[in-house]
Amino acid sequence: MTRRLPWGPLARMAGRRALAAVPVLLVVTFGVFAVAAASPFDPVKAYAGTAGLTASQENLDQLRANLGADQPLVPRWWDWLTSALTGDLGDSSVMRQPVADVIAERIGWSVLLAATAFAVAVLAGTVLGVLAARRQGGPLDRTVTAVAYTLEAAPAFWLGLLAIWVFALKLGILPAGGLTDTASDTVTFGQVASHLVLPALVLGASQLPWFLLYVRQGVADALEEDPVRGARARGLSERTVLLGHALRSGLLPVLTLIGSRVPELITGALLVETVFSWPGIAAATVQAAMSVDFPLLAALTVLATAAVLLGNLLSDLLYALADPRVTPDA
Amino acid sequence: MTARTVRPIRGTAAAALATVLALTAAACSDPGGSGSGGSAARDSLVVGIAYEPDTLSPLLGYGKDGNSKVFDGLLAFDADMRLKPALAVALPEVSADGLTYTYKLRKGVTFSDGEPFGAKDVVFTYRTILDKRTNNPSKTELDALKDVKAVGDDTVVFTLKYPYAAFAQRTVLAIAPQHVAARQDVNSGPFTTKPVGTGPYVLTGWSKGEKLTFKANPRYWGGEPKVKKLTMAVVKDDDVRATRLRSGDLDGAILPPNLAKGFKNDPGKKTYAATTYDYRTVTLPTHNKVTGDTAVRRALDLAVDRRAMVDKILEGAGKPAYGPVPTSSEWFAKGTERRHDLAAAEKILDDAGWKPGPDGVRVRNGVRAAFPLWYPSGDKLRQDHALAYASDAKKAGIEIATQAGTWEVIEPRMKHDAVLAGGGSPGDPDFDQYLLLKSDLAGDGFNNMAWYANPAVDKALEDGRMTNDKAARKAAYDTVQRELVKNPGYTFLTHIDHLYVVSDRWDGLSTQVEPHDHGLAAGPWWNVEDWTPKGAAK
């Protein structure tokens, strides 16, 4: 089937969202600075670590001035914002290096982990969902649904610890954490691949239920719809009916889901990276938050917010593309 | 057993995966992985540590206590914490007034990038640390230093503000290369994570939160180390560290006493107990009506059962502490040990007018003998010490309410509330005692948390740091320790041994006297550059 895609309205929607993102990001960064400033944690103490226990007050005061921690909230935020707009994200005090370097070093590993987990969740969710929908109430459907509800309730870190216990400690077939073997100092594909399995599966499994249950419901509903019943009546094969008709309309809700799962994916990655000592951006976020590392925390929050906004935009665009009845300008 | 079975399967899994994905060679380049299929290569060492450094730049405080692996100081400590020359050819010449220290530098030393080391690097390092713009939280330790100058290319002269006998001990701090570090932002430049030094090892990778990897420095002036590869895996959790040690993933690790016990009967592993200056103490703030009373302080000092703490809490791995100086140190004042003597404690309190009230807690002039004792939440060891201390005090009629909190909660209360504190730096008796006891440091950051003020101690502390005459110094620190018996501002409880379990595959292992915080350099691997693989000669 050919249909003119509504490029104009789609572009308008993207543009409008981009404009709306600006105030959202401003508010979010200010929020980060405000919350961090209100927190009882002291950035100077976090910076000094154990050395702070023997440092003189003069030394600590000098550090406070050097780190800019003596500045009031608003000017500090404004300074950060204006230099961030010129491309200077500042220096991370906890990592002792520029924020841009921290992000550059880590974001690739996070994207790899999240993308693999997402692919696992979407693919496995779709396949299992279609299979379950085909024989609703059958043993496969019942098992798959039960497992999905259980996974939905299980926190990602708990799944992670369980996976480490089973696969790394009891069976000894997969590494328990890190990017490569402990003794290795080169990052090879084989090493990363084997170390990626557990965290990606755990993160994927924590996302799986949403896709599975949506696909199952969507396909089951579609099988009941008139066009599908008509197709069946016309004597088309079960396969064509299922894949050609039911799946097409059953997948629509999944498209919306893809974008809206982004926030969950980010928080899931936060826990999974920590459990598996995966050197990604999420682990750095935890450290930045605990050390009140303003520049790093703000940059990471902007990144996460942007990812969420993009995810929402993506799901709306996909939906508009897939379903001609939806007008993107609505 | 598990070590032999786990690794091959894991290697095979990795190899199989890589083959299935068919994108690169399956064989991993590391010797511990699929390649050798069994035990790790004999010239590589993997150790598990609990804390990782924030930075690897000496300018920001890394390697200030020596032993930094990547760097050298002018001097270094031997196993008994005696100074020996490192980048200097000999111990410094000290002027008669104790204000000038002159070091002759070793010739022919190069940094790991091939550039020569010289006096300019020493001057650069010290001046940069003293610079106000440098975010070095340990700057206070160089308080005595006024200036440092190069005389020619192989002599460095330090000038002090006041005579400071412990200054030579401070010059173990790591020397940074000027030609690298001067060209970038001291606080955040690449040098903070990619160091270049003169030390026995060269950093090959640092995956923050995961591990640091090093290889032997072929240019090392002391000769290339026999242990060619060194990995420091950062494993925060004690149990995980023990499990990974058992599985063969680690060759050695620091472990708490209860977990180290599990390796006692393992023939392939040896346990090393390092004696330390790492003390646990209770601050008795002068500004609190109860803890500020000398009778209460003295009574607590006698009522506490230190031996039981060592046996029960530390499972024997430690010693009773009577002051910051451990009993095994040459600086310990013999005869200042206090016996556990509840009757004597009660008599002191009775004589001072603290009479038992209706609930068993003593009272004097309407003041109940009760005070809060804080410990940092999550620190099991300090919690155990705090509870034991409170229970011992209870028997003498003093009520202590133990409370957990973060340092943010504890710090504002330190002037009036007791804290279960820890600390300890070996090297010189001045390091701990001056900061803990000097009256004008009261409330200065975390120094003199108890607001201790004793003119006799103040004078002895000054005497001890002003002279280089060892007998005079010993007399001064003996005075400090005797004064602490008469008027204790702290109840010192224990000095804690640090336990390490290491695979028995090398010769040359020993331990150094260790400080409170144990980073990369503490542990049997303090001199890993001198180890040789067992049976390597055959």
Side-chain angles (χ1 to χ4, degrees), chain A residues 45 66 95 180-181 186, chain B residues 10 29 132 192 208 211 411:
Chain A
K45 222 149 272 150
N66 287 1
M95 300 286 176
T180 55
D181 278 352
T186 45
Chain B
R10 194 167 124 180
S29 59
K132 279 198 182 326
T192 60
K208 278 188 180 156
K211 67 186 169 193
E411 199 193 350

Side-chain angles (χ1 to χ4, degrees), chain A residues 158-178:
Chain A
W158 182 81
L159 286 179
L161 293 175
L162 187 71
I164 290 179
W165 184 70
V166 174
F167 294 102
L169 296 185
K170 287 288 149 193
L171 302 177
I173 50 174
L174 284 165

Side-chain angles (χ1 to χ4, degrees), chain B residues 151-196:
Chain B
V151 179
D153 199 35
D154 63 347
T155 307
V156 180
V157 181
F158 292 88
T159 329
L160 305 191
K161 294 180 208 155
Y162 47 87
Y164 183 43
F167 183 72
Q169 270 81 352
R170 291 298 189 206
T171 58
V172 299
L173 84 72
I175 301 298
Q178 182 185 26
H179 68 274
V180 178
R183 291 191 192 141
Q184 41 178 282
D185 185 339
V186 181
N187 297 318
S188 63
F191 182 67
T192 60
T193 47
K194 296 182 182 66
V196 175

Side-chain angles (χ1 to χ4, degrees), chain B residues 345-361:
Chain B
E346 285 174 327
K347 183 165 186 312
I348 291 174
L349 290 171
D350 286 338
D351 292 350
W354 291 97
K355 300 289 181 217
D359 57 351
V361 178

